């Protein structure tokens, strides 16, 4: 095929110079050059609709105009770019605005920690503080959890390929069933039994860590009841509840925090990905004041002060001053979930199941390899969409939250064509 | 003191909203606003000379004009900001230029991995690949090593406060004496004995990881002979040699890689901090081709594609096309080390010892607390300089490599005044 | 009470010279001097019926006449007492007789390993060989399992007090629900789900280790169906099945091995306690020939050759030449379980539940502390009986298998009196 | 060779039925039947001089007449054989006599713990109590240490073959150089430097565990100065000192405890092997009263009450009522060390070095495989002697302490013949 040959040539640099660990440039073998809103263009001038959004990093779309302006202005003024955790104007403004726009209206008393600019770093910091505060070492995580690739975060991650990559055994964690993991069995009953029985072999944990919607694990959305019961369990046994909202937070599920509809108040919240607004590396860890028992510098890192990211992050907060953005997301989410159901009904050969909530949805496809084939077909047709789940069995929809209905509709159209092509093989 | 009160007010936001883990904003209680070259300014208009350079992240100085232009141009053109490890124009250009300017002239056959944009992430990836390639789990690190704050990197870090912060025991690592750690005893003989004796209790390791100059550990510079002997040991026992050049690399010690004068060829090299040119988060792991045995995505991360950092990073490589920059650094390094010796002689009350090499130097001060007092006095006089070492006993000089001699001289003047003030107390 | 005072005086030596770790001499505060069959006598001449049998070590009763004769004869002839794993006459005879009487009639192809003379040692050896053979490190154990007190065995033990005593975190093990652990939920479905899902966070284990009747964990008897399903799981995923028959083996449940009625063939079987016949320390590990992949001396220990124990052990094997002994046990077991049911019905205030099978039975009592009080009353009345279970909630009956029905009846009579006394308080 | 064929036939049972893990029956391929004092006989009537003494278990020789009588009498009187840690007459007598004969005259305030009847069990109990008392987890052990084969003890054992057999990584331990491990370097200086430097990567340990003479590790005898310095280090940093006297204790080196000549008082002492007098499994852990902080049953085990062993153990204590036995051992030790020196001088082809002290001596032979060949030749000539050391490079002499000079001389004669035969090859 001509495309393949061209693409091969185009990808030579990556194939020859970059490490074999590279992954996305394999499934999407092209060189991207520009992006705006929910669209991307490669060096050949091809246009793509983005149903991927940097794995949830570009909730506000590519290259938001105002963020661009603010960043350019900041650079022009010789604003501090790198500051570790020194006091800087952008850090100050971000802290104040985050408290004002996000924390206070939700009646949340969190201290804000800058743990290094990646998701795995906020998770590592959350695990550390939970262990310090409680003096315990075990952390309970859930089946198909994904929390990051450094050893601390990997230890609470479910995926066996990723765990095996650690090269060392992973400890101090116990994997429990997520929500309705085993058909017809209550995961809450299991968890309670293990905790209440002093002979269960499971120690009282420092923390329970969870994603309300498991992104990498297959777009598994926990029910609000389950989340409430987990919080109850944490309160009853004096366990810290950590919500890893790296992927599901920042509005992805329709509210700023993904756990808001459950009415729970986690003790620690991990945020990264879209927190930086424009896609620059940034992460924060929210810690209930009473548990903010760090010594100065006890967890640190060189890139805790990515000020350009703070500039865009502060701009992004404006979206949350009113409820409008949340409503908008919800409307698009409804449209998306209706479409997903339609597709599942229309293509019974998929044996499809709808997954997720908000603008974090997916179709689990019960035929080996088919989900990947659909994504490959989609790429050829100008739609960026990837799989998730332990066997890559879920086609995952994570469009920028700012996408309009036309964009959604167009993307879903391409998806249908791709399904037809893939199932026709 | 009036300053203190003002400063307190200024720092209110950080004190009230930010986590207690914050550290630099304690020692330097002000809000920075602008920076250029080797200078910084706070919101009160005070000017500071920067002998800290973002802990080695700003080797090319703050806000290099060309980097600023390139970044602004890229943003204006809607260049892709965030791309995970997708193919993008800036990634392509960085890969090609890095091979051309850095690897080929040094006859180095490395694959380039993007492991996530922080130092600890490149270290975690290096440890993983060494364990995968060898099938062994132990890694030998050295006393006073610092490699990062996530659990994998912490396990090879020496500092007990930081290790304890892990909240869990740290495994799969053995700490060996760095160079001349114990007076009059050979650390090489010690290491060899443990390796050759099958009853030593130390298993054949997957890797030996080291910094050629230990930055956080007290600016301890290994001798070139010691580095060569370590490489020999690695070759004899088939152990991978990992050089963590996160702080000492990118020209900090006078050559692009800190290990060049030793004539060694590490199997894996970790780079971060100044690799991004302007201070944006970025890291790469260099892996000898034969050891690049990753599966696709076996180590990943959301922020592997910080394209704005790639733009500045590629620009920074221009500095290395000729030897001029290296020579320039060396001259300034000589000036700095002469000055350090002078100061040590002039102020015998310091019981000072010179440490380090290149523009990574320090004075170890044998009086408890004095190094910290000197740094505090320096801040009040407009010099940004910090301590390092297990007991904060070293005043550390890490000016931007682009500083001119006037800047160096002015900074050292302030340092002397600060020494006088601190010792007069 | 006069008895208490006397007893205190009697126990002075233990209180003053022995470590605080001592336990049985607290609940049974007397000094035992003689024992025969199912009876014991203390230095005050009090007689006790033994429903404890050395926690399952004295299945053949105290001081069997023939064993005594054989041991005395052996000592008189200057037989080798201690031999590590050298060849000796008693080891040779034991090996040959064990094969002839136990293994061959049951069509079992096991190699016999002498791992050190205790239960925890056979378990440690079983875990090691399973890890060696499979190259995997995780072992699945079950809630309320008890496998021993050394670190390897503790890691697969459920009890939190005992685990905590390790002083270090316990690794490489995953605790799964035993049989009907959670009411109305299938532990098999749960286990299967974790094994089949590559995202479950539970690695493919080297082995599954279990007791068919959990002695210390509360006399929980697994159903034969459950055992079969566990064996199926092991076969399907190529996992080694280890049955820890230290307490339930040697006829305790009515057959020589406790797993015989399930028709399963474990890959490794751990035996200790009554294997030595007369109560001397001894243990063996049975390993399927194909898995006997040890290097010489890879697991060793000083007391692998307790020849006096071999003498008694070989004598004990005579009991198993015909089915008579098994039938006898079964009859007594039926009598015991009828009696247990009667007692439960007669004393509803116990909220009692019958537990166990064979001559390994118990009554779980749903009132905090009552089981312990009953045992204390029983001691005062001349019956040696102890509790088990995570909250010491089970009164456990482990009489010597050679007890006659009169002995059983008399013991149960004392038990009833003790129940009356304890519930009257 | 006829012998070999016969021997093969003789060993059939062990080869066919016993596990491949068996070791001593390989090097000494015969079936032993009788033993008395320092002599053993096999089923073919061959006589052997025992320079092995059950690896230090038979300090009092085989089948001491009085011990035999006492044991037979006890059995005849239906004495309790097995008692867990219940109060029994023999336990009471042993406790009282041990205090009277051993502890009080040496002014030692230890509580006596019965930890299970093996060396590895006393070590596991020692590690547990040290971790509990200090709340720390690391234990420092030494190169070529051997402390046992269960996971806790293995973690402080040096031998790589044995460690690897664990099948899991071994943690919570740091291996430091034993005495003069590295030529010309002070192991004390290393240890101190690692402890005093908070950046060393070695945490403040719960305990330091050592053998004063490393038996399995190559008969390495620590100097008394080194032992004193280690005790000083323990006192300065509040670390518990554990002496594993399992092999070197019970008079082996000339005093009851091996550490007496150093004038140190360990916090915990591990004893097993010869503590049982006649070779029956038994172990005790001596714990300074202030550190005896166990909860009842926190470490337990089925065979803590081997009363037949207590009978022989108590009888053995009589040897220590006066100094005579110690003097006698010392005389024989002098004779042995003179002979060792003579042999080394006479056979320069051995490149021999004298090792050890008391009746725990050896010749390190600097030629691969030669030590094993000498032992094989010795067996054929009627001398039981084995190798030790990480490469089996040491011929080890551990005769029963009760051997007479004739026996010693005869054994050494055979040894010389064996050296001649082995070197002539």
């Amino acid at each position: 095929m001509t495309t393949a040959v061209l693409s091969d040539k185009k990808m030579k640099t990556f194939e020859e110079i970059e490490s074999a660990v590279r992954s996305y440039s394999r499934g999407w073998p092209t060189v991207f050059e520009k992006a705006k809103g929910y669209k991307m263009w490669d060096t050949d001038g091809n246009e793509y609709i983005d149903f991927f959004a940097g794995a949830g990093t570009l909730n506000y779309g590519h290259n938001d105009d105002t963020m661009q302006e603010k960043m350019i202005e900041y650079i022009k003024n010789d604003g501090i770019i790198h500051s570790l955790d020194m006091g800087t104007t952008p850090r100050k403004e971000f802290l104040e605005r985050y408290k004002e726009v996000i924390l206070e209206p939700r009646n949340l008393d969190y201290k804000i920690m800058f743990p290094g600019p990646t998701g795995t770093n906020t998770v590592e910091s959350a695990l550390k503080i939970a262990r310090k505060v409680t003096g315990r070492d075990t952390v309970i995580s859930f089946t198909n959890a994904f929390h990051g690739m450094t050893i601390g975060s990997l230890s609470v991650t479910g995926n066996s390929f990723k765990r095996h990559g650690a090269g060392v055994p992973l400890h101090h964690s116990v994997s429990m069933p997520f929500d309705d993991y085993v058909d017809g069995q209550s995961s809450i009953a299991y968890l309670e039994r293990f905790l209440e029985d002093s002979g269960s072999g499971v120690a009282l944990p420092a923390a329970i860590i969870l994603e309300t919607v498991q992104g990498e694990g297959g777009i598994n959305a926990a029910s609000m009841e389950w989340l409430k019961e987990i919080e109850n369990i944490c309160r009853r046994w004096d366990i810290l509840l950590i919500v890893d909202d790296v992927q599901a937070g920042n509005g992805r599920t329709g509210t700023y925090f993904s756990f808001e509809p459950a009415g729970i108040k986690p003790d620690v919240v991990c945020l990264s990905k879209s927190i930086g607004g424009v896609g620059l590396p940034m992460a924060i860890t929210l810690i209930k004041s009473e548990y903010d028992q760090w010594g100065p510098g006890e967890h640190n890192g060189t890139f805790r002060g990515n000020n350009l990211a703070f500039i865009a992050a502060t701009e992004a907060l404006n979206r949350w001053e009113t409820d409008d953005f949340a409503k908008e997301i919800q409307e698009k989410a409804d449209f998306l979930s209706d479409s997903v159901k339609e597709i599942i009904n229309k293509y019974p050969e998929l044996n499809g199941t709808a997954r997720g909530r908000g603008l974090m949805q997916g179709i689990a496809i019960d035929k080996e390899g088919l989900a990947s084939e659909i994504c490959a077909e989609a790429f050829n047709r100008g739609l960026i969409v990837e799989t998730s789940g332990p066997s890559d069995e879920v086609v995952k929809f994570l469009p920028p939250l700012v996408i309009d209905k036309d964009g959604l509709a167009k993307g879903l159209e391409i998806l249908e064509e791709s399904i037809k092509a893939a199932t026709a093989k």
Side-chain angles (χ1 to χ4, degrees), chain A:
Chain A
M1 197 172 75
T2 324
T3 320
V5 173
L6 277 175
S7 126
D8 277 354
K9 200 170 159 192
K10 208 163 41 181
M11 303 310 284
K12 205 166 156 270
T13 295
F14 306 102
E15 284 158 9
E16 290 182 3
I17 311 182
E18 196 175 345
S19 160
V21 80
R22 73 193 174 84
S23 53
Y24 284 106
S25 60
R26 295 171 190 268
W28 301 325
T30 193
V31 183
F32 293 98
E33 189 168 37
K34 281 180 53 174
K36 195 78 182 176
Y38 63 84
K39 290 185 186 165
M40 302 175 74
W41 294 269
D42 66 16
T43 49
D44 299 330
N46 299 312
E47 183 178 303
Y48 300 86
I49 292 178
D50 187 358
F51 266 29
F52 172 59
T57 309
L58 295 157
N59 285 1
Y60 304 101
H62 295 270
N63 284 310
D64 174 89
D65 286 339
T66 321
M67 292 183 197
Q68 285 181 315
E69 278 164 35
K70 294 271 171 83
M71 288 197 294
I72 288 171
E73 189 199 354
Y74 187 75
I75 296 171
K76 280 190 174 159
N77 287 335
D78 291 332
I80 308 258
I81 296 293
H82 176 274
S83 66
L84 289 123
D85 72 349
M86 291 148 75
T88 63
T89 333
R91 182 194 301 270
K92 189 164 176 287
E93 282 172 24
F94 173 77
L95 284 169
E96 288 164 1
R97 284 292 283 164
Y98 199 84
K99 189 176 177 188
E100 185 187 343
V101 179
I102 303 295
L103 300 182
E104 284 183 346
R106 287 167 182 78
N107 202 19
L108 293 168
D109 175 30
Y110 290 130
K111 294 284 181 180
I112 301 173
M113 174 186 180
F114 297 94
T118 66
T120 195
N121 225 313
T122 167
V123 170
E124 294 251 355
S125 72
L127 299 179
K128 277 188 190 176
I129 196 64
R131 284 167 171 147
K132 179 169 191 184
V133 162
T134 59
R136 306 174 205 142
D137 70 329
T138 302
V139 169
I140 286 180
S141 57
F142 293 98
T143 51
N144 289 301
F146 178 82
H147 297 290
M149 293 300 271
T150 50
I151 297 298
S153 303
L154 257 186
S155 72
V156 289
T157 287
N159 188 284
S160 66
F161 170 65
K162 293 191 172 72
R163 289 178 74 85
H164 192 255
V168 292
L170 299 168
H171 298 315
H172 311 292
S173 55
V174 172
S175 185
M176 284 281 161
F178 186 78
D179 202 349
D180 56 353
Y181 188 63
V182 183
D183 272 353
Q185 304 208 17
S186 160
S187 58
I188 294 294
Y190 264 113
L191 180 52
E192 281 180 323
R193 186 78 178 90
F194 270 97
L195 288 173
E196 80 197 1
D197 177 12
S198 66
S200 72
V202 171
L204 185 63
I208 293 180
I209 187 169
L210 61 84
E211 304 146 282
T212 67
V213 184
Q214 299 182 320
E216 301 307 300
I219 313 294
N220 310 308
S223 70
M224 296 307 139
E225 289 67 38
W226 189 80
L227 292 172
K228 272 179 210 161
E229 291 190 274
I230 292 290
E231 189 190 46
N232 284 341
I233 284 173
C234 286
R235 299 303 160 239
R236 203 177 333 148
W237 275 283
D238 218 3
I239 299 164
L240 265 64
L241 176 58
I242 303 172
V243 171
D244 176 346
D245 233 10
V246 167
Q247 188 162 152
N250 290 298
R252 174 53 58 189
T253 64
T255 48
Y256 181 78
F257 294 113
S258 72
F259 52 80
E260 292 179 44
I264 62 173
K265 292 202 176 176
D267 301 296
V268 182
V269 182
C270 298
L271 288 165
S272 182
K273 293 202 187 257
S274 283
I275 187 74
V278 78
L280 288 172
M282 180 177 164
I284 59 173
T285 313
L286 304 176
I287 304 168
K288 273 193 186 163
S289 291
E290 61 197 287
Y291 298 133
D292 181 38
Q293 300 171 10
W294 291 107
E298 198 171 354
H299 185 86
N300 60 26
T302 292
F303 293 112
R304 282 165 297 159
N306 184 354
N307 288 274
L308 216 49
F310 296 162
I311 294 288
T314 304
E315 173 56 31
L317 295 176
N318 293 337
R319 297 264 186 188
W320 298 99
E321 286 198 303
T322 68
D323 286 347
D324 296 352
F325 191 47
K327 278 180 197 154
E328 221 181 87
I329 301 167
Q330 200 46 59
E331 279 167 32
K332 287 180 270 193
D334 292 346
F335 175 75
L336 178 58
S337 64
D338 288 348
S339 305
V340 159
K341 278 176 217 151
E342 257 181 59
I343 289 170
I344 290 172
N345 288 332
K346 201 163 158 189
Y347 302 94
E349 56 270 48
L350 300 179
N351 279 318
T353 318
R355 293 270 179 89
R357 62 188 178 89
L359 281 175
M360 189 171 185
Q361 299 193 34
I363 302 177
I365 293 177
D366 193 12
K367 192 180 160 194
E368 210 191 312
L370 184 53
S372 297
E373 280 176 44
I374 291 169
C375 292
E377 294 288 343
F379 173 74
N380 290 334
R381 285 166 176 78
L383 177 68
I384 301 291
V385 64
E386 72 156 348
T387 62
S388 85
S391 313
D392 290 321
E393 76 280 16
V394 179
V395 181
K396 179 173 81 170
F397 312 121
L398 252 73
L401 305 181
V402 298
I403 197 170
D404 53 30
K405 284 207 188 157
D406 275 5
L408 268 180
K410 183 76 183 73
L412 290 163
E413 233 167 72
I414 299 178
L415 182 77
E416 278 210 51
E417 287 161 28
S418 307
I419 290 173
K420 282 179 202 162
T423 53
K425 277 180 186 172

